[in-house]
Amino acid sequence: MMRQYELVERVVSYNPNADEALLNKAYVYSMRKHGKQKRASGDPYFVHPLEVAGILTDLRLDDGTIAVGLLHDTLEDTDATRAELDSMFGPEIGKLVEGLTKISKLDLVSRRTAQAENIRKLLLAISDDVRVLIVKLADRLHNMRTLHFVPEHKRHRIAQETIDIYAPLAERMGMQDIREELEGLSFKYINPEAYQAISERLEEVRQRNKTIITEIEGELEKTFLEKGLKATVRGREKKAYSIFRKMQRQNIGFEQLSDIYAFRVLVDNIDDCYRTLGIVHTIWPCVPGRFKDYVSTPKPNDYRSIHTTVIGPGRQRVELQIRTYEMHQFAEYGVAAHALYKDVTGKTKGGRSLGRLAKDSNAYSWLRQTVELLSSGNSAEEFLEHTKLELFQDQVFCFTPKGRVIALPRGAIPIDFAYAVHTDIGDTCIGCKINGAVMPLVTELNNGDEVEIICSKAQTPPPAWENIAATGKARAAIRKATRAAVRKQYAGLGEQILQNAFKRAGQEYSAEQIKVALSRLGFQALDEALAAVGRGELQSRMVIEAVFPDYQDQRAAQSEGERGEGWFGLPHASAMKFRIPGSSRKNGKNGHQPGQRSIPIRGLSADIPVTFAPEGGAVPGDRIVGIHTPGKGVTIYPIHSPALSQFDDAPERWLDVRWDIDEENTERFPARIEVSILNEPGSLAAIANVIAENDGNIENIKMEHQLNDFHDMTIDLSVWNLNHLNRIIEQIRSKKTVSKAWRVN
């Protein structure tokens, strides 16, 4: 175990102005608080925070961050309090330690929910101070190094969480060394057979190529020196997990890999980077498609380097990464490479605070965007889903017409691009141009594409976009817009219901009066109350009673004929026209797809859920009634359907609706007929031929034996309209084998 003075000496070795008193106090406080606690290995628990602090010193971090590493488990695992930490170490360190504390006291319904809540809180804390992430990664790294002491049934879960969340987070912050070690340790427990096989093959290659690597390094350095360029060349072996991913992604074997070894060329400045590239490409032929310039176009995590592959010395295929020493430092340590973190006294080495450093970082901008998703998700699990979508990215780089670089995951489409530019651009997107040509919004984007988004203020994002978008930001924004649109739709429906209810009550509907009564109804905004009425969560009678406390419902005293003024007791609402689209436009089929459909109400911007009557449906040409079903939307019935009698005592649920179908309608609607036919060969085929010849579509047939000579059958079919249905029924009746045929409601 590292001694107190050894830790202080390690920090002072790279930071002579370190606050030694702070480090000593944090060391002693943590050791006392953890007391006799033990780790799974049997070691004193204090070994863990001490090792975390040691990892942070390897990253050459400030003394405040080292102190947080020593204290990071005190709030969670000891009787320490935030107030106590604030008084002893200052509010800044107390806040950092609290950001690292898990949500262990919440009553979470599942392990997945617990994981999602922890990630949610962690990212919120990181967005305020990047040191939270650095300490958390160091914490996870030491836990993974000692994972073999954990009970076997827990190892896989911890390793999977590490490779799903923490390794990608390290990559996003540019901390490649930590990412690779986390991936390697996780891979060892998630897929031990593959890990063992690849490690053995790597060892064989390592022994076989030991001299070749040294020779290539020497020859490259000699070549650069002869050209007057001072450069350091370092060979680097590809890690086991990286090899495994490439084999899986490209479906190739180990022997087909050509880039197990790469060489880093380190130079003094950017000019030397491009001089090196020129020398390399002049002497050796480059491999087409293997050149990437991340110096002129850095990755979102601020990674900068030039990548190229050449047929180099000895006809060997050599991958080169050309960068400056400063770029290399950042490539290894990412945001931790900044040595200018604010210390606990508020002073900084270079006069710049951590906050300004973080806000200037491209890597940090991604984090801020991810945190924005916290306000867009319904649940912690949804947020975790979006976060994983953002973390696992093989990226492409596209450009706006003004030259702004937009990084997206491979497989992204213009919809993702639009939301990456701005949420408002995505919400109003109606089309796009890719490299000057008008293209579909589902076109997959490639590196270097210039994308122009065409917008319209009248547009709202269709819910179906959520299923085709590739980025978490786009999906979350689409889902948020859809919820807002549905809420607006239900608010409009609720207003119609209330207008009907107020009219029946003999009262004048007034939005202002309802606003005054909102507190009695338990709502803060009018649209929330209206939407609740539309969803069936708030009864119209309760609204009337809240507005008019002396109101008494007289419906029970009314006669059946007095209940309404319209069809069969249907109160006259202002007639809302419904367009009732089928599924055929969306999925390219000519048949009706049973179940819920979407119907936009004219004058409103969104769709409400609509279901056709379960026994026989409804078709254009029928006089129809809409029945509002709480929590489910509207069910459409033909006006003559006997099933409507069950709603006689709930007139507030009746909606006066009508068809609004284009003359060139290409959509079908559900209907049901019953047919009695002779029991002889060819009878069923004759009926099927009639339906097919008349362009009907059979959805289901149910046969029932009635007599030896006759069969009764129920046929569910989809038709264009009432005339179409009647024509089919009449032609079925004309067949000699048919005794009876009629429509069922």
Side-chain angles (χ1 to χ4, degrees):
M1 185 172 69
M2 192 188 313
R3 301 292 183 182
Q4 184 174 345
Y5 72 89
E6 292 175 327
L7 176 65
V8 174
E9 286 178 353
R10 291 178 67 166
V11 179
V12 172
S13 66
Y14 63 82
N15 182 12
N17 298 320
D19 188 341
E20 297 183 28
L22 172 68
L23 295 172
N24 287 324
K25 184 163 59 174
Y27 185 103
V28 173
Y29 181 87
S30 179
M31 182 172 61
R32 288 179 176 174
K33 283 295 180 182
H34 288 294
K36 296 182 179 180
Q37 293 176 350
K38 298 287 186 181
R39 302 242 316 154
S41 62
D43 294 331
Y45 191 92
F46 178 62
V47 169
H48 170 63
L50 189 56
E51 289 296 326
V52 170
I55 293 171
L56 297 174
T57 62
D58 292 337
L59 296 173
R60 303 171 68 84
L61 294 176
D62 64 292
D63 41 18
T65 307
I66 307 300
V68 173
L70 290 167
L71 301 168
H72 76 274
D73 274 339
T74 53
L75 282 182
E76 181 180 354
D77 295 328
T78 75
D79 60 359
T81 64
R82 170 69 190 275
E84 189 176 22
L85 289 178
D86 287 353
S87 65
M88 293 190 66
F89 303 100
E92 182 177 3
I93 287 181
K95 184 178 180 181
L96 292 174
V97 174
E98 186 175 52
L100 287 154
T101 303
K102 295 177 182 177
I103 308 176
S104 56
K105 297 181 181 179
L106 292 179
D107 183 17
L108 301 171
V109 297
S110 69
R111 187 178 299 279
R112 178 175 172 81
T113 303
Q115 180 197 51
E117 287 290 354
N118 286 332
I119 297 301
R120 191 171 180 151
K121 184 178 181 184
L122 174 64
L123 291 184
L124 279 173
I126 295 168
S127 68
D128 191 50
D129 196 316
V130 74
R131 288 176 290 183
V132 172
L133 174 58
I134 297 173
V135 177
K136 187 63 181 178
L137 290 174
D139 170 45
R140 179 54 63 115
L141 180 57
H142 182 251
N143 283 334
M144 289 302 299
R145 287 174 177 174
T146 57
L147 191 60
H148 54 284
F149 292 114
V150 173
E152 188 172 353
H153 68 279
K154 294 183 179 180
R155 294 176 194 169
H156 187 278
R157 174 181 59 81
I158 296 171
Q160 192 67 55
E161 182 183 68
T162 300
I163 210 165
D164 281 352
I165 299 296
Y166 292 100
L169 271 175
E171 192 276 334
R172 274 305 190 132
M173 293 295 112
M175 304 171 72
Q176 301 302 328
D177 277 2
I178 288 182
R179 174 187 68 85
E180 289 179 346
E181 187 172 357
L182 288 174
E183 286 178 343
L185 291 168
S186 301
F187 182 39
K188 180 179 179 180
Y189 293 101
I190 293 173
N191 195 336
E193 294 84 4
Y195 173 83
Q196 183 66 26
I198 293 175
S199 297
E200 291 175 357
R201 296 294 297 275
L202 272 177
E203 181 60 29
E204 293 174 6
V205 173
R206 194 178 299 127
Q207 295 299 323
R208 186 170 63 247
N209 294 335
K210 186 182 301 183
T211 58
I212 296 177
I213 303 304
T214 305
E215 290 172 3
I216 292 177
E217 288 177 355
E219 188 165 344
L220 286 172
E221 286 190 350
K222 180 182 177 182
T223 301
F224 294 140
L225 194 59
E226 289 174 351
K227 298 293 183 178
L229 182 69
K230 183 180 178 182
T232 302
V233 180
R234 300 175 182 173
R236 185 175 186 276
E237 183 180 86
K238 206 175 187 75
K239 302 298 183 182
Y241 181 67
S242 180
I243 290 173
F244 176 75
R245 276 203 308 180
K246 185 168 184 176
M247 291 169 61
Q248 293 285 94
R249 185 172 62 250
Q250 299 185 7
N251 195 26
I252 59 177
F254 185 91
E255 61 280 353
Q256 294 173 275
L257 295 170
S258 59
D259 59 348
I260 293 178
Y261 289 96
F263 294 85
R264 290 172 177 166
V265 182
L266 307 181
V267 294
D268 291 328
N269 52 59
I270 293 178
D271 288 343
D272 286 347
C273 288
Y274 290 102
R275 282 187 62 202
T276 303
L277 180 66
I279 292 170
V280 168
H281 282 185
T282 301
I283 298 176
W284 297 295
C286 66
V287 177
R290 298 285 295 176
F291 171 72
K292 296 177 182 177
D293 186 352
Y294 295 120
V295 172
S296 62
T297 308
K299 287 187 176 183
N301 62 4
D302 291 326
Y303 173 85
R304 303 175 74 198
S305 185
I306 296 174
H307 293 190
T308 188
T309 302
V310 298
I311 307 300
R315 303 299 298 170
Q316 294 284 333
R317 186 164 169 160
V318 179
E319 180 182 336
L320 297 176
Q321 299 172 357
I322 306 168
R323 61 181 70 148
T324 67
Y325 291 97
E326 183 180 354
M327 293 175 190
H328 179 67
Q329 186 77 2
F330 193 87
E332 297 299 301
Y333 300 112
V335 292
H338 294 295
L340 301 177
Y341 292 115
K342 184 195 295 182
D343 62 25
V344 289
T345 64
K347 297 181 291 186
T348 59
K349 285 186 176 181
R352 300 182 67 201
S353 71
L354 169 66
R356 290 204 300 273
L357 281 170
K359 301 304 180 283
D360 292 343
S361 166
N362 287 328
Y364 223 65
S365 67
W366 164 82
L367 184 61
R368 292 197 302 274
Q369 292 174 4
T370 301
V371 171
E372 288 176 7
L373 297 178
L374 289 169
S375 62
S376 304
N378 274 331
S379 63
E381 290 95 330
E382 182 180 315
F383 173 69
L384 182 61
E385 170 199 344
H386 295 324
T387 303
K388 287 184 177 181
L389 282 173
E390 295 296 320
L391 290 177
F392 291 110
Q393 293 190 15
D394 181 12
Q395 293 175 322
V396 295
F397 297 89
C398 301
F399 298 86
T400 67
K402 293 184 178 180
R404 177 184 169 190
V405 179
I406 303 293
L408 296 165
R410 193 164 297 281
I413 59 178
I415 293 171
D416 299 297
F417 183 94
Y419 279 104
V421 174
H422 197 279
T423 301
D424 291 342
I425 301 295
D427 285 346
T428 57
C429 170
I430 60 171
C432 70
K433 292 182 180 180
I434 301 176
N435 301 322
V438 176
M439 299 293 286
L441 284 172
V442 295
T443 305
E444 185 172 326
L445 297 175
N446 297 310
N447 267 319
D449 282 347
E450 180 182 286
V451 184
E452 178 183 351
I453 300 298
I454 304 169
C455 298
S456 169
K457 292 183 179 179
Q459 166 73 347
T460 55
W465 279 8
E466 184 186 347
N467 298 324
I468 60 176
T471 62
K473 180 178 181 181
R475 290 188 179 187
I478 294 164
R479 192 171 297 179
K480 183 178 180 180
T482 300
R483 286 198 299 268
V486 170
R487 178 177 170 180
K488 182 179 178 181
Q489 177 64 74
Y490 274 117
L493 181 60
E495 188 170 31
Q496 292 286 346
I497 292 172
L498 287 180
Q499 288 175 355
N500 295 339
F502 272 66
K503 184 178 179 180
R504 288 194 305 275
Q507 304 291 342
E508 182 179 352
Y509 174 82
S510 170
E512 294 302 320
Q513 287 180 310
I514 297 177
K515 287 181 180 179
V516 174
L518 285 176
S519 59
R520 292 193 289 274
L521 293 169
F523 292 91
Q524 295 182 344
L526 177 62
D527 62 338
E528 292 179 358
L530 294 177
V533 174
R535 288 191 297 267
E537 298 168 356
L538 177 64
Q539 296 180 13
S540 57
R541 175 183 55 79
M542 297 174 64
V543 178
I544 296 174
E545 292 175 351
V547 176
F548 305 105
D550 297 331
Y551 168 74
Q552 296 292 326
D553 190 352
Q554 300 297 322
R555 282 189 301 164
Q558 291 180 335
S559 66
E560 189 72 20
E562 296 174 335
R563 191 168 284 149
E565 301 173 359
W567 307 323
F568 296 85
L570 171 64
H572 283 307
S574 54
M576 294 184 291
K577 289 188 177 183
F578 284 70
R579 177 176 299 279
I580 307 187
S583 58
S584 57
R585 272 186 194 168
K586 181 177 178 182
N587 59 23
K589 298 179 181 177
N590 290 325
H592 165 62
Q593 186 170 339
Q596 276 196 345
R597 289 181 169 187
S598 281
I599 308 180
I601 298 177
R602 179 173 295 179
L604 298 175
S605 60
D607 296 346
I608 59 173
V610 169
T611 305
F612 288 98
E615 299 293 331
V619 299
D622 286 331
R623 294 181 67 189
I624 54 175
V625 176
I627 298 296
H628 175 233
T629 304
K632 295 183 179 179
V634 175
T635 303
I636 302 298
Y637 291 86
I639 193 63
H640 52 271
S641 172
L644 288 171
S645 61
Q646 63 183 302
F647 307 111
D648 283 346
D649 293 329
E652 70 278 0
R653 295 176 59 184
W654 293 58
L655 296 172
D656 185 358
V657 297
R658 66 180 69 169
W659 298 98
D660 183 22
I661 301 298
D662 294 336
E663 293 181 1
E664 298 180 357
N665 170 54
T666 59
E667 300 160 7
R668 300 175 188 271
F669 299 89
R672 175 175 290 178
I673 62 176
E674 287 191 6
V675 183
S676 182
I677 62 173
L678 284 172
N679 183 14
E680 63 178 44
S683 296
L684 179 58
I687 293 173
N689 284 336
V690 168
I691 295 174
E693 289 170 358
N694 284 276
D695 199 24
N697 190 55
I698 297 175
E699 303 288 348
N700 186 48
I701 296 179
K702 182 180 179 182
M703 303 286 293
E704 293 182 1
H705 288 279
Q706 185 178 19
L707 299 171
N708 290 335
D709 295 333
F710 286 90
H711 281 308
D712 283 347
M713 69 173 68
T714 301
I715 303 175
D716 289 322
L717 68 160
S718 53
V719 296
W720 305 121
N721 50 45
L722 185 59
N723 289 336
H724 186 204
L725 175 61
N726 288 337
R727 184 169 69 249
I728 291 174
I729 292 175
E730 287 302 319
Q731 292 192 26
I732 289 175
R733 286 172 179 167
S734 68
K735 295 298 179 181
K736 295 180 180 180
T737 57
V738 175
S739 172
K740 293 185 295 182
W742 66 97
R743 183 183 178 187
V744 177
N745 284 113

